Amino acid sequence: MRVPDTTTRTHLRFWRTSARLADAILELTSSKPSTEVSVREVVLSAEINRTTFYHHAPSPTTLLCAALANAFERTMDTALMTQDQPPFEQLLEATIQHVNEYQRIYRTALPDPAAAGALFHTLASHLAVRACSADPGMAPDRASAIAGASAEVIRYKLAASRRRLDRDDIMAVLASAREPLLR
């Protein structure tokens, strides 16, 4: 969600409205892609006016990406980072947990290229940023490539099966894709 100037950002009302908008868009997009959700539907569900909506986001898809990005960051913040696994594997595990939690929304977006593209691009971008901060030695372009590939594997697995995502399955696909690239 757009965060305007610092005076607005500190107002409790702004944050309450942001939470209502996030709840509304997450509810609405669990049954249809964000590109099919109208601003009118969001404002009615959030019980706000149209001007307030545009103060927070330019479109329902942008609002959804922001809401899921916030949820993703909360998942990452609560993920326990240990020395047992490489940092990226731990991040991928937390990413899978996030997607499984919001699976209905991600699945609903799949048939719509614009909605799916926006969601999975946002997922890959946030995963890449987290990868760079978890492993300072990782080059940003490498983090982006790995995060983008991971997001696409997740997207494919969601489309191919109605089951929850499995970390080992996704890691196996990523590992098998890496082999031919190194030859």
Side-chain angles (χ1 to χ4, degrees), residues 3 8 13 25 27 29 48 53-54 66 75-76 87 96 99 121 131-132 143 149 151 164 183:
V3 179
T8 306
R13 182 177 55 209
I25 196 66
E27 175 67 29
T29 56
I48 62 165
F53 172 88
Y54 286 114
T75 301
M76 288 294 167
I96 291 167
V99 174
H121 172 76
C132 283
R164 291 176 59 83
R183 288 184 200 155

Side-chain angles (χ1 to χ4, degrees), residues 32-54:
K32 64 182 174 182
S34 60
T35 54
E36 294 177 15
V37 174
S38 69
V39 171
R40 185 176 193 285
E41 290 173 290
V42 176
V43 300
L44 288 173
S45 180
E47 297 178 345
I48 62 165
N49 67 46
R50 204 172 180 82
T51 303
T52 302
F53 172 88
Y54 286 114

